[in-house]
Every structure is written in structure tokens, then in C-alpha cells.
Amino acid sequence: MDVTLADQENINHFSRLNTKVHEINAKLKALKAAAEDIEEAENELMLAEDEEVPYLVGECFFHLEKEVAEARLQEAANEGTSQCAALSNERASLLKQMAALKKTLYAKFGNAINLEE
Amino acid sequence: MAETSTSGASLPELVPKASFIEDVSEHLQGASVDDALNELRGAHQKYKYIEQEIVQRKQRLAFKQPEIEKCLASVKLLAAQKEEGTEAVLDFALSDQVFAKARLANVEAVNLWLGAGVMLEYSLPDAQQLLETQLAGCSRQLSIVQEEHDYIKDQITTTEVSACREVSMARVYNYGVSQRRTASA
């Protein structure tokens, strides 16, 4: 059983997709952590009695009215959710392509090839 | 700030593709397996070295992007507060952990650090525009680097698979030799 050029291209493609999935996983993890931070900040703001709160923008804490700060947090949360959704979609499509390649390659090479992680 | 990609030429022009070995036994004909494997190993090492460089460039860009986004967010907030006519009140970092309170009224311009010891004053709209251009440039660079990574990754995988095939072919060959030896003994 020999490897043809088409097989080699399939293997290369699979390896590329695998790298991308790993990168997306890392990004999703970071986004999730950020989302948790935002949620925590939102909860804190809800309890806060102050009219103004220091809000970190860039390197400085701007003193913003509570409502303004809440709106900014909401915006950041929405942005995070949509990024998360986009990445999850991309990941799903990559995984689908990988599953198809796995099927083809395992059908030909059986145990002689290992395509996990 | 601007980072040039490998001197204008695209990576496939600079780095030769790993050639696919159609027929391993033919490829090994006349050459020793060790030499063939060493050749592959050398190529693999070179590709890996290039990949490392690419990954570093990617990381640098991925680090730069949020930095620019932070600058942009500050400039935008200053512009919005100016629009509303509110005075910006903020705690700014004097040193790492020391903050002082400042009031900024009628902010017209900001100074942007351009790197290499140069800082320039920009009006708020100009600063915003410059930062947005930088941000767009950054993500463009990132997609170029991504393509380069894909390319080099292909070459690495091809060399790895070729090495496996040569090794397994060599095993079959050795097996044949030992078979013949036992037969003739």
C-alpha cells in the first residue's frame, strides 16, 4: 500500500485544519474568560451604590456614570458573544472537514495512520 | 510600527516546496537509505526553523492587535466625551501602581507614540483614523502570516510522511534481504 499524491495532500490538509482548530480552541478559551470577567463586573455594578465608577479604557480608569459603564459592559459582552459564535461556527465547519478526511484516510490506511490530535 | 513581510517576495517563492516522492523504492534506488533519510531530516529542520520564525511573527502581531485596540478605545472615548461636552475625569497611571486623578476639558489632540523615539500630535479624528489604518494593516499582516504558516506546515507534513515511507520501505527491503539469507543458508 503506497501513499499517492492525493493522499499526501489530504494528510497535509488534515494537519492544517488540526492546527487551526487548536488555535480556535485557545481563542475561545480566552473569550470565555473575558465573558466571565464582564459578567462579574456587571454583577458588581448592579450592587454598587456609587453614581460614578472607574472604568478601565486603555491604560486609564475613566470616571464614568454608572449607566454609561453598564452600557459599555453590555456592548463588550455582546461583542464577545458574537465573536464566540463566529469562532464556534468556524470550528464546527473545520471539524466537519476533518471528519470527512478522517473517513477517507482511515478507509485506505486503517491502523497504519493516526489522525488524532 | 509597520512590519514588512519577508522582503516583498512571498514565502513559496523563497522556500522550495518539499517534493512528493511518487515511488519510494525507485527513489531509494542507488542511494543508501541513510543518505535519503538524512536529506529529509535536513529539510525538515529547515522548515521547522522557518515555522518557528513564522509563529513568532504571528504572536507578535496577535499581541500588537489588542494594544492598538486599547489605544483606539481611549481615543474614541475622548472624542465621544468631547462631543457631549463633558469633561473627562480619569485616574491615570503615574507609574505601574501609582495613579493620579486628572480632569481633561476640551481635548482637541492626543500624542501618539510612533516608535523609534518619535511622538507626534494628532487631532482626535486624525488619531482615530491612523489607529484604524494600523489595526486594518495588522489584521492584513496576520492573514498573510497565516497563509505562510499553512504553506510551511504542508512542507513539514510532507517531509514527515516521506521519512516514514522511506523507513517503512527500508524495513520491507531489509526483511527481503534477511528472507533471502535464510533461504540460501
Side-chain angles (χ1 to χ4, degrees):
Chain A
M1 166 179 52
D2 203 27
V3 183
T4 65
L5 184 59
D7 296 329
Q8 178 71 66
E9 271 163 7
N10 278 340
I11 295 171
N12 288 354
H13 192 190
F14 183 86
S15 149
R16 238 196 246 188
L17 292 172
N18 196 33
T19 319
K20 266 186 202 141
V21 167
H22 278 281
E23 277 174 10
I24 290 181
N25 282 345
K27 276 188 204 157
L28 278 175
K29 208 172 145 197
L31 277 175
K32 221 172 140 192
E36 274 170 23
D37 287 346
I38 291 173
E39 203 187 314
E40 213 171 296
E42 278 177 333
N43 289 339
E44 286 294 327
L45 263 190
M46 240 187 286
L47 297 172
E49 311 242 316
D50 316 283
E51 270 179 26
E52 269 191 2
V53 289
Y55 190 102
L56 184 67
V57 179
E59 307 282 332
C60 296
F61 292 95
F62 282 75
H63 292 237
L64 297 180
E65 282 169 36
K66 201 174 148 185
E67 288 84 49
V68 179
E70 275 168 347
R72 283 190 83 97
L73 276 179
Q74 188 59 50
E75 204 183 308
N78 290 344
E79 172 78 11
T81 323
S82 67
Q83 272 183 19
C84 246
L87 283 176
S88 302
N89 277 340
E90 199 186 334
R91 186 167 169 265
S93 115
L94 293 179
L95 287 176
K96 215 166 126 193
Q97 292 177 56
M98 281 167 78
L101 285 172
K102 262 189 196 177
K103 216 170 133 195
T104 320
L105 288 168
Y106 274 131
K108 178 162 180 193
F109 296 107
N111 285 334
I113 196 167
N114 177 26
L115 297 170
E116 309 302 325
E117 291 312 300
Chain B
M1 268 185 173
E3 207 159 326
T4 44
S5 173
T6 25
S7 66
S10 73
L11 195 68
E13 283 165 15
L14 294 169
V15 180
K17 216 171 157 162
S19 54
F20 175 72
I21 303 169
E22 286 286 349
D23 190 333
V24 179
S25 54
E26 202 177 286
H27 180 77
L28 289 179
Q29 215 105 74
S32 82
V33 179
D34 279 342
D35 286 347
L37 275 177
N38 272 335
E39 199 184 307
L40 279 178
R41 218 168 278 144
H44 186 253
Q45 235 168 30
K46 278 178 207 149
Y47 287 136
K48 272 283 186 193
Y49 178 74
I50 298 167
E51 189 197 22
Q52 236 176 27
E53 216 168 297
I54 290 173
V55 168
Q56 268 173 18
R57 202 135 43 90
K58 209 162 152 183
Q59 280 170 344
R60 256 205 314 275
L61 284 169
F63 177 77
K64 213 164 87 175
Q65 204 166 13
E67 292 282 307
I68 301 174
E69 277 167 356
K70 261 169 124 185
C71 296
L72 193 54
S74 320
V75 171
K76 273 186 176 165
L77 182 56
L78 283 175
Q81 289 191 324
K82 189 193 160 206
E83 191 101 332
E84 287 168 19
T86 48
E87 175 177 69
V89 182
L90 51 91
D91 299 325
F92 68 98
L94 267 180
S95 86
D96 215 3
Q97 307 295 339
V98 183
F99 288 84
K101 198 168 181 177
R103 287 173 189 282
L104 308 176
N106 295 319
V107 182
E108 294 289 344
V110 286
N111 297 311
L112 292 187
W113 182 259
L114 299 182
V118 179
M119 189 159 74
L120 261 187
E121 189 177 272
Y122 286 89
S123 71
L124 284 179
D126 284 353
Q128 183 170 338
Q129 206 198 347
L130 178 69
L131 288 167
E132 274 163 0
T133 318
Q134 288 283 343
L135 198 57
C138 196
S139 48
R140 206 172 43 238
Q141 292 270 349
L142 210 51
S143 70
I144 293 172
V145 174
Q146 182 60 52
E147 270 171 34
E148 292 185 346
H149 197 188
D150 283 349
Y151 174 78
I152 211 78
K153 189 89 194 151
D154 275 4
Q155 312 323 315
I156 290 173
T157 317
T158 304
T159 357
E160 278 168 359
V161 171
S162 297
C164 281
R165 287 165 67 206
E166 283 186 0
V167 168
S168 64
M169 183 57 71
R171 277 207 202 107
V172 172
Y173 177 76
N174 286 338
Y175 179 72
V177 171
S178 64
Q179 280 276 304
R180 259 174 277 140
R181 270 202 199 124
T182 37
S184 62

